[in-house]
Amino acid sequence: MHVRDGEHGDAEALAGVFFRAVREGALGPYTQTECAAWCSERPSTAQWINRTDGLDTVVAEKDSQILGFMTVRASDGYIDHAFVLPEMRGQGVADAIYAVVENRARCQKTKRLHTHASHMARSFFIRHGWRVLSENRVDLTGAQLTNWIMDKPLS
């Protein structure tokens, strides 16, 4: 596995990882209705480029296949996306990506990282020393999802 910066040409693959992670990987903690409300269809390449514009992207890949990624808003340390292919969960992909993200944030003197974590991401971030600040409810078309506002000071 190789961790690298995301590139413009990754957009289609990243949209696919996102779609599968939500529609397949999130089933269980979230219902099928909630997953469909979260991501009703696979984003197009153009939609994904627009959605991640201005974010730094770190990807993990093996044999030219993207296994997972995280996006970070460098200006304030907000992790907007953190997704791994369902079949790659529990294999260290997110850990490898996150190590790069946190190290870069520390090098850039970012004071803290923060996010709105899903059920799956919550336990991952807690394992990496994050704290839960509050539970959050998100109203989407057809469903209301629960996530958690979390952060990790980097002093």
Side-chain angles (χ1 to χ4, degrees):
M1 178 174 54
H2 172 70
V3 177
R4 63 170 174 79
D5 288 331
E7 301 168 351
H8 210 65
D10 295 331
E12 182 177 351
L14 296 177
V17 170
F18 167 74
F19 180 75
R20 289 198 54 220
V22 171
R23 295 301 291 270
E24 298 169 33
L27 281 173
Y30 295 101
T31 67
Q32 191 168 8
T33 300
E34 290 169 328
C35 290
W38 185 354
C39 180
S40 61
E41 60 186 31
R42 179 184 171 136
S44 70
T45 301
Q47 288 169 324
W48 193 257
I49 289 169
N50 187 50
R51 185 174 185 162
T52 58
D53 186 43
L55 302 174
D56 294 334
T57 302
V58 179
V59 304
E61 69 178 356
K62 184 175 182 179
D63 300 327
S64 300
Q65 179 188 14
I66 293 179
L67 308 175
F69 68 97
M70 288 185 189
T71 63
V72 182
R73 193 169 54 221
S75 63
D76 67 353
Y78 182 74
I79 296 178
D80 194 16
H81 301 96
F83 295 97
V84 173
L85 288 172
E87 65 271 21
M88 297 308 298
R89 286 178 51 196
Q91 296 188 40
V93 174
D95 293 318
I97 297 167
Y98 179 72
V100 171
V101 167
E102 183 173 323
N103 185 55
R104 285 184 180 172
R106 288 182 184 282
C107 288
Q108 295 168 352
K109 306 284 191 236
T110 302
K111 294 191 186 298
R112 76 179 185 122
L113 292 172
H114 59 113
T115 195
H116 288 76
S118 68
H119 281 282
M120 294 81 55
R122 177 181 176 220
S123 60
F124 170 83
F125 286 120
I126 287 172
R127 192 165 43 85
H128 286 278
W130 286 57
R131 61 188 179 183
V132 174
L133 301 175
S134 64
E135 186 173 306
N136 186 51
R137 303 287 288 174
V138 180
D139 289 315
L140 299 174
T141 303
Q144 190 177 66
L145 274 66
T146 299
N147 64 24
W148 288 267
I149 299 171
M150 301 181 71
D151 80 347
K152 181 176 183 179
L154 300 178
S155 53

